Amino acid sequence: MSVARTTTEPSLFSAVLENFPAGVMVCDPDWGILWVNKKLVELTGVPAETLSGLHVCLLPSLLSKVVEPGERMQQQLVRLTCHPEAASKVVYEWHRPDLRYIEQITAPVQDAEGHLLAYVCSLSDVTQAKEVDEMKSEFISVASHELRTPMTSIKGSLDLLLGGYAGPIADPVRELLEIGQAAVDRLIRLINDILDISKIEAGKIELNLEVLDSVELLHRTVSSLRTYADGASVNLTVMPGGPVPAIMADRDRMEQVLTNLLSNAIKYAPADTAVEASVNEVERKVRFSVRDYGSGIPPDKIGRIFDKFHQLEGSKKGTGLGLAICRALIREHGGDIWVRAEVSPGACFEFELPAAERVKG
Amino acid sequence: MNAMEIRKILLAEDEEDIQKVARMSLQFQSKWEVVVAGNGQECLEKVNTERPDLILLDAMMPRMDGYETCRRLKADPATRHIPVIFLTAKAQEGEIKKGLELGAVGYLVKPFDPMRLAAQIKQILEKEREEK
């Protein structure tokens, strides 16, 4: 590509922008429209000459002749021009006459010194993606209902028989019923996990963010697993630490992540060993750690341990989704999760979340 | 409503298998009488003739779904005092929220644990009473 580079570059770039498969609009730092490409004219139905020089907030009034941009577009544009960093991605609803979803992504254009030269916006019709997304949600909802209904009958019947509803049962019968009960419980967990991860991946999860005391959160989750740890003869302890900032997170989801990591650790810990949980502040972030003294994770498996359905050999009847859900939830909270394998024996799972503004002791 | 005051429960559920399992479970774990309605419409009819102390309501039912049934129960001065608990496989956050916004006091998700169903109902009523 070195041929006549200096002479072709400007024309090549303008040709690229002109023929770009998404609508492109360039605005000056005061949001006056400088330039639009062919696709943008096609999307809006407004000629380039009409758009040129106009303030971007006037766009909806022009559009209304061709498309019905909806009342929200005006508010969305005002918000964009006031807080471009917070509103960098917006989706407009245009009726022309059928409903189309138009996604606008905006980025500042800066020179080498960081001076703002312009804003560049791309506009694409994301209606099809949105429809697929809605179909996926609908499928999740229907699948959830259709699978849970027969499962309720199976679980209910087995639990009632084992609970003594029909009178005493002979040992071999009990053994067979218990096999069925364990399998149906596992199936229910699997369905719940599949629905959970589909929901997170489809961006359909709603986080109820609140300020949480990190230490209290850890103690509370550890307490809820005390009976399980005792049953496995594992010494579950919270390691002492200094003051830790609060986090801004969804309580149920955080408990879900911690429960998953702790119960995994307990499950793989040999009897009479410890599982240690801790929470510390590391460079203005809150780091939770769960350490066990089990057989650890082979180095070649570390990279894939958080992948869906990736289970280690000898995995004890998990769904293969627990860690994938943990990672998805932590990322949804703006944090990160990893496993430290260099500890020996055993493994140490850690995740970090940004500290909330208010510091708690 | 105090859990101790419950004598009769109206269960609105269209699946016969689940009707049986839920009824057996409640009769095994409590002294409550359980009457059954096969859909929302029937639930509204039976609520007048049976005068239940509590209604267990499925969300997805033919003829009239649980949400509409709950809305009507809460709109009628004669029935709005009867506590409603959803017992349903519609377990997504939005669906749970919708049920509670319609005036239900609690939400139980299928598959339920038949050995704990009565205890969970008592727990919901207890919590509701404390919050009042």
Side-chain angles (χ1 to χ4, degrees):
Chain A
M1 287 301 288
S2 60
V3 185
R5 190 186 162 106
T6 48
T7 52
T8 58
E9 240 177 25
S11 60
L12 174 66
F13 282 142
S14 61
V16 165
L17 283 175
E18 183 63 21
N19 293 289
F20 202 69
V24 177
M25 173 170 72
V26 181
C27 298
D28 64 32
D30 297 319
W31 295 99
I33 299 172
L34 292 173
W35 184 85
V36 295
N37 74 348
K38 250 192 325 206
K39 185 75 187 178
L40 194 118
V41 170
E42 189 190 311
L43 270 176
T44 57
V46 183
E49 310 81 72
T50 313
L51 290 171
S52 180
L54 279 178
H55 192 275
V56 74
C57 285
L58 294 172
L59 201 53
S61 58
L62 291 171
L63 290 179
S64 57
K65 291 171 194 146
V66 207
V67 301
E68 284 205 30
E71 286 171 22
R72 279 190 62 227
M73 186 181 175
Q74 185 74 49
Q75 298 158 4
Q76 285 167 317
L77 279 169
V78 170
R79 189 161 170 260
L80 170 70
T81 52
C82 297
H83 307 283
E85 64 299 326
S88 61
K89 186 166 149 184
V90 289
V91 178
Y92 305 126
E93 292 176 11
W94 291 0
H95 300 264
R96 49 176 195 185
D98 52 325
L99 177 62
R100 309 299 298 176
Y101 293 94
I102 308 293
E103 181 183 77
Q104 177 176 332
I105 298 175
T106 306
V109 179
Q110 292 167 328
D111 65 13
E113 281 80 45
H115 300 124
L116 181 66
L117 302 176
Y119 288 103
V120 59
C121 315
S122 75
L123 280 89
S124 343
D125 189 330
V126 292
T127 310
Q128 206 186 355
K130 192 103 177 161
E131 281 167 358
V132 169
D133 214 38
E134 272 160 20
M135 277 165 65
K136 191 175 168 185
S137 298
E138 178 62 18
F139 172 76
I140 293 170
S141 179
V142 171
S144 161
H145 185 262
E146 294 309 313
L147 293 169
R148 278 168 203 272
T149 302
M151 215 86 78
T152 306
S153 309
I154 302 171
K155 180 178 165 54
S157 306
L158 293 172
D159 286 0
L160 278 171
L161 281 173
L162 281 162
Y165 178 78
I169 37 177
D171 283 348
V173 178
R174 171 173 295 277
E175 198 178 333
L176 288 170
L177 289 174
E178 280 173 353
I179 290 172
Q181 188 188 43
V184 80
D185 282 341
R186 188 178 173 199
L187 211 47
I188 291 165
R189 281 201 302 276
L190 184 60
I191 289 167
N192 286 341
D193 280 358
I194 290 173
L195 295 174
D196 229 8
I197 197 125
S198 317
K199 225 168 19 176
I200 302 169
E201 285 180 348
K204 295 284 174 194
I205 191 165
E206 281 180 40
L207 295 179
N208 296 313
L209 295 180
E210 55 178 319
V211 177
L212 298 177
D213 182 330
S214 315
V215 179
E216 190 259 352
L217 176 72
L218 183 64
H219 276 277
R220 194 182 158 112
T221 317
V222 164
S223 298
S224 70
L225 287 162
R226 185 75 63 202
T227 316
Y228 177 45
D230 289 348
S233 302
V234 169
N235 181 19
L236 177 60
T237 47
V238 177
M239 305 304 279
V244 183
I247 49 171
M248 182 64 103
D250 182 309
R251 177 180 285 281
D252 289 346
R253 292 305 190 175
M254 279 300 116
E255 285 182 2
Q256 183 182 353
V257 171
L258 278 168
T259 301
N260 198 297
L261 298 181
L262 287 163
S263 56
N264 270 351
I266 295 166
K267 195 157 65 174
Y268 292 105
D272 301 317
T273 62
V275 165
E276 296 161 355
S278 62
V279 57
N280 293 288
E281 181 180 0
V282 180
E283 292 167 0
R284 283 301 294 155
K285 286 186 176 168
V286 177
R287 182 182 294 179
F288 291 85
S289 307
V290 175
R291 164 85 205 261
D292 69 68
Y293 293 86
S295 52
I297 297 153
D300 61 319
K301 303 284 183 195
I302 293 249
R304 299 194 56 198
I305 191 98
F306 291 101
D307 289 356
K308 279 185 278 188
F309 298 111
H310 190 81
Q311 289 184 290
L312 298 178
E313 272 171 44
S315 287
K316 297 183 182 176
K317 292 190 175 176
T319 62
L321 286 168
L323 288 175
I325 292 172
C326 286
R327 179 170 64 181
L329 285 173
I330 293 298
R331 287 188 175 165
E332 200 69 26
H333 278 84
D336 202 7
I337 185 166
W338 61 87
V339 58
R340 281 172 48 208
E342 79 280 6
V343 296
S344 180
C348 183
F349 283 84
E350 295 187 324
F351 68 89
E352 240 175 32
L353 295 170
E357 292 299 304
R358 187 152 58 91
V359 178
K360 279 200 173 180
Chain B
M1 168 68 61
N2 185 329
M4 303 290 285
E5 293 165 21
I6 295 180
R7 284 187 185 78
K8 194 191 272 186
I9 286 189
L10 174 56
L11 167 69
E13 166 66 61
D14 60 319
E15 291 277 336
E16 276 183 35
D17 290 350
I18 298 176
Q19 286 176 3
K20 266 187 213 164
V21 170
R23 180 159 47 192
M24 285 175 179
S25 148
L26 292 172
Q27 286 171 344
F28 190 39
Q29 299 289 319
S30 74
K31 292 192 165 58
W32 304 332
E33 184 190 342
V34 181
V35 285
V36 173
N39 57 59
Q41 191 68 53
E42 205 182 315
C43 174
L44 293 179
E45 287 157 20
K46 285 206 172 169
V47 79
N48 289 317
T49 53
E50 298 285 349
R51 302 261 155 219
D53 304 304
L54 178 96
I55 297 166
L56 272 185
L57 201 53
D58 186 16
M60 298 262 282
M61 287 185 290
R63 293 183 67 192
M64 187 189 295
D65 70 15
Y67 300 122
E68 178 59 18
T69 311
C70 186
R71 197 188 63 73
R72 294 198 188 190
L73 285 167
K74 293 298 159 192
D76 184 347
T79 55
R80 71 159 61 121
H81 65 283
I82 308 171
V84 172
I85 296 176
F86 274 96
L87 177 64
T88 169
K90 300 279 277 178
Q92 304 203 44
E93 281 109 344
E95 293 156 349
I96 295 178
K97 209 170 142 195
K98 185 174 168 188
L100 295 176
E101 279 171 359
L102 284 168
V105 291
Y107 211 101
L108 294 169
V109 170
K110 292 177 190 165
F112 56 88
D113 179 346
M115 303 307 285
R116 291 188 57 234
L117 185 59
Q120 285 176 313
I121 291 172
K122 286 177 191 163
Q123 222 174 6
I124 289 173
L125 293 176
E126 232 21 74
K127 199 175 156 221
E128 163 79 2
R129 206 161 65 101
E130 279 167 21
E131 282 171 5
K132 266 189 180 168

